Amino acid sequence: MHGVKSATLALVIAACLGGAHAQTKLRSTTAFITAAASDVTAELAVGGHLATMKTQLASSRVTARSTYDTNVKSLFAATSGTVRAAFNTEYGETFGADFVIGMLDAAEAYTVSDEAKNELFEKTAMDMVVMHLVLDKINGVETVPEWDDAAAYYVGAATGASGFTTYDRANKRAADFGTTVSSGDAAINEAIINALNNPTATNQELKIIELFQVLYLQNVLKYAYEIDTELAEADVTELSEVVGEGLAFWRVLKPWLKARDTAGAATLDGIFDIANIPVSGKPTIQGARHWNYCRAKPIVDAHMATLTSAGATLGTYAPVTADGTMCPTVIPTGLAEATGAYTVGGVTYTFANDVGASLQFSEAIADIKSMLTNGDSMANVAAAYTNLGLRGLADLPRIADADGYTLFNAEHGSVTWISDLMDLALASPNTWVPKLSARNEIIEKTLMDALAVQCIHDDLAHAATTAHSAADKRLFFDHAAAKFLGTSTARGSTVFARGNKRGLNYGTAPDSINSAASLAILSALKTGAAVTGNLPADDIARAAQIAIVTRQIKIIYSQATLRYAKLVNDDLAENNPFAEHQAEGMAFFNVIRPWVKSSSVSDATVAVLDQIFDVQTSPESYDNFAYCVTKKAIDEFVGTAYVSLLGVLEDVTADGTTCAATLPSGTSIVTDTDTYSGAADLGASLSFSSAVMKTLDQLDEPPFTQVLASFKSTGISGAGDEARVGEPVYDLFKAYFGANWMTTYITAAADNEKTPTSSSAARVEIIEKTIRDAVATQLILSDLYRGTLGLTDAHDKHWDHGAAKYLGTDGDRSVTVYNRAEKRAENFGTLTDNTAGDPEADANYAVIAALKAGKTATTAAQRVAQYNVVKRQIQLVYSQCVLRYANYLDAAFLDRTDYAEHQAEGQAFWRVIAPFVKQVNANGATFLTGVFDLSREVSEHTHYCRAKTILSDLGLAFGEDTEGGSLTGIRNDNCDGVEVPEDATEYLAKAPSSGAAPKFGVALASVVAAAALALAL
């Protein structure tokens, strides 16, 4: 099954010319002919019986056992000698005087797979038995007949017969280890047969004994390697088989090796522990970074060095060379490291078992991290993920733990959810998360944190299993501690290190190095491991410590999740790249998400956190929504009894972040016009209106320090400045105004030196309308445009985002575009009664209908059409705004009243649609820009008429019975003969300019001049 089968060797008989019996030439390539005095018929038959048993095992162990009991059992029972005595000492107490029978009975009783039982049966009957039959014959004698008998047992069949003996096993291992000699025989076979041919030569018995040990050293090494291989592939069936095979081979070697290396033997006992492969298919085999092979190799090599009479070499297992497996010079075990290696923060964990397999977990994680840091290819990282055994640890079935494996699989929707994530991140090219640095974060945190926590939790679930012995429970505590703490060289790649980092971030590291959570976990592991009894009270004591470990792990990853929600929040607010922080946050949240979901935290809230960390979408967050909603969820998850363990995030202290008592939420937005329903919670996008309200509440007098701070801290500025290159509206406006035009405009208005007007009221209007209208319309159109690019759930979300920004929350709707449309509809008479009989803006009816139709559209073309409806309605609403404020300027000219505030408002509104107008009427756009130029005086009373003509080029009509309606209170409604100047630039050059002077009326001379100019036009 494993390794290369040797070719069937030819069977040759040479007739003996004299003597009592025919001489027999055995089938070996290395010549062996029995003496005439030797009758080896019975001995040769053993190989045939063994071959029969091997065949029978495929269908019935009962039949195979009958064959053994009938034909071989008595032969083994009759063996004796120094080797048999040593084996009796080692195995007699456990398996009885006939320890082979005891081993076969035990194999049948083990709760392991049939495949494992078959392997144990086969290798025990065919290897343990044949070796003892051979050594029994040569024990203390040098006579030819006995040595011929031994050769017949060892080599097996003669002409016309078939069989399977140790000779065949040696040839298979020689093929594996490159120790086949020129004759075609294994070097071990050649040496043993030559020794059997010369019984009187010095130390031949010792030589053969040592050669048997070399053979089973090869077997042990091969199967230690195969355990790593099958573990890496998470192949439970093959893993069960190779452990069974390996155990049977290890038993053939153990008494000799144990006599000189008790610790090494104990380690190999652990590697081949049959309890690690229960029939449930949920193995508890430990190992990473080829630990089983690498740990066995020095043990094997050390024993091999003592076999000086064997005259043989071990060779190198071929897959080791092929795979390029490299073993570290020193492999920590947890038992023999320097004093203090497992002491941190005054807490020392003392291991009672060789836990090198779990210590290597941290080294494997460190290897992956190093590859990522050094820019290795994703293909190489993917190969390492498998070859280092991490994929196997992630994918192996684990104990059914309602608070662990079972829960996490259910919530993540897959038993291989960790590898599923890894495969997504490792794909190249990558459309899931295109940014390499973000994928690196997912890879690192998924392994160092999610996988580590799952493995630790599984160890502790076993430690809490009452069926285990006290020694096994201690073993599992040791493994959990080893994975948690790691080696001294790779401790930075452990959950312990993660806890320390978060402790420093949250002020919960008392010694400024080690976090309270990490030390609490280590102390709990230490205390739990120290429980030595196996009574119910002892299990309760262990469970109490396991509960502490779980609680503190939840604290660490609650801190991590909250920190990255804050970082994503701040990235968005500052218009910085967020992909890395979002990816890290997702990976950290994955560690605790199933626990959070199963707590009192609502599913809707968990879904909101999912949105924040959804690496395939751009998250939404205004006014610290991402941080605040996560904080509320985490506090509820941790519970009031333990919330103080979280500490306070340093970034929150530094920037004074506060959270509102109530955050926007819900999947539906109900307005007086209609209701919009989203696919998920809309709180993040609704937080935009809350941020606008909060910011405008700070709008007071120059220098507008508070409103500017809020404009930035709430994320409105960052959202407005986001580079949305490739989106037609963004590209159009950027070409017109330049990059970051909204923030630039607001900061200039707030700056006493840069402001275009000295009127405080005018500056307030610029700031307010830009925040409330310009930023909002840009974000709404951006969201909806993104929603037109496909029909997936991700595209649907963009419609939800745009709708939420347009409509806002009930409490903040007064600062939304929806509200602006209502105000203008009242001014222009474009209202229709709702079902309650209350008048609502026609524009809002049209927009909400388009939002709903676009969201449910089944083609991209349909979505584009609905997007254009919304865009046109926005153009309509802000054209109404422009007309209204153009009319105010007409009134100011006619009434000789102050107009600075209205001109500033008009300018802010005009900027919402100016680039659209320029697309269809560049001269008209120039004219209206001049009309609302704060450095120009009002010099005519035809602003409304000319603006109406210009705006009609957008395909909009204004007046009675038109879509745009008719403005109430038009001061100069006689537009007959009023035309837009053919050259607006030339025309505006002749109009008077007031610089940045306050506009508290118009000087008489200016009025006369302007009036004359107006009459001439």
Side-chain angles (χ1 to χ4, degrees), residues 799-943:
W799 286 86
D800 289 348
H801 294 335
K805 293 186 187 75
Y806 186 91
L807 302 171
T809 67
D810 286 344
D812 303 317
R813 191 155 296 140
S814 61
V815 293
T816 62
V817 177
Y818 175 93
N819 178 262
R820 185 68 68 202
E822 289 293 327
K823 285 188 172 185
R824 291 300 84 88
E826 291 172 3
N827 301 140
F828 281 79
T830 51
L831 298 160
T832 299
D833 287 351
N834 61 19
T835 55
D838 299 321
E840 302 296 332
D842 291 341
N844 284 335
Y845 282 112
V847 168
I848 297 176
L851 290 170
K852 293 166 71 173
K855 170 71 176 293
T856 58
T858 56
T859 69
Q862 290 172 348
R863 284 198 160 171
V864 170
Q866 298 306 320
Y867 162 77
N868 286 330
V869 169
V870 176
K871 183 170 71 171
R872 187 172 188 279
Q873 291 302 318
I874 285 175
Q875 291 173 346
L876 174 65
V877 170
Y878 288 94
S879 291
Q880 290 175 327
C881 290
V882 169
L883 287 173
R884 183 168 186 256
Y885 284 86
N887 184 58
Y888 275 131
L889 296 185
D890 286 346
F893 177 80
L894 294 171
D895 298 339
R896 294 173 173 76
T897 55
D898 176 47
Y899 58 86
E901 188 173 345
H902 285 149
Q903 190 177 40
E905 283 188 89
Q907 183 186 75
F909 285 134
W910 163 240
R911 286 169 62 92
V912 175
I913 58 171
F916 292 130
V917 175
K918 185 181 178 182
Q919 275 189 309
V920 295
N921 187 341
N923 183 64
T926 299
F927 178 80
L928 288 177
T929 298
V931 167
F932 296 112
D933 182 346
L934 303 189
S935 68
R936 308 195 66 78
E937 292 184 1
V938 173
S939 56
E940 58 179 84
H941 62 284
T942 59
H943 300 90

Side-chain angles (χ1 to χ4, degrees), residues 228 231 284-292 295 331-334 342 351 353-365 390 393 398 452 455-456 458-460 474-487 490 493-494:
D228 287 326
L231 182 61
T284 57
I285 294 169
Q286 306 282 355
R289 215 177 180 220
H290 304 286
W291 178 83
N292 291 284
R295 183 70 184 94
I331 301 178
T333 64
Y342 305 105
F351 295 101
N353 298 278
D354 182 340
V355 289
S358 291
L359 289 170
Q360 284 301 297
F361 181 84
S362 63
E363 295 284 353
I365 302 300
L390 298 175
L393 290 174
R398 300 191 179 279
C455 289
I456 291 167
D458 185 62
D459 286 333
L460 295 179
R474 173 58 194 263
L475 174 63
F476 284 114
F477 264 103
D478 281 358
H479 277 299
K483 292 186 184 77
F484 174 71
L485 198 54
T487 65
S493 299
T494 62

Side-chain angles (χ1 to χ4, degrees), residues 583-604:
E584 288 183 89
M586 180 202 72
F588 286 135
F589 185 43
N590 279 338
V591 179
I592 59 170
R593 185 186 181 279
W595 283 325
V596 175
K597 186 111 182 307
S598 64
S599 73
S600 61
V601 177
S602 70
D603 289 353

Side-chain angles (χ1 to χ4, degrees), residues 649-674:
L649 181 59
E650 58 191 348
D651 296 342
V652 171
T653 302
D655 63 19
T657 299
T658 59
C659 296
T662 303
L663 298 174
S665 64
T667 58
S668 294
I669 306 171
V670 180
T671 71
D672 292 336
T673 304
D674 200 351

Side-chain angles (χ1 to χ4, degrees), residues 2-43:
H2 303 280
V4 180
K5 291 184 178 293
S6 59
T8 302
L9 298 173
L11 301 179
V12 180
I13 282 188
C16 182
L17 297 178
H21 303 283
Q23 289 181 296
T24 303
K25 183 173 182 180
L26 303 183
R27 61 184 173 140
S28 59
T29 302
T30 303
F32 192 98
I33 302 175
T34 62
S38 301
D39 182 359
V40 294
T41 304
E43 288 76 14

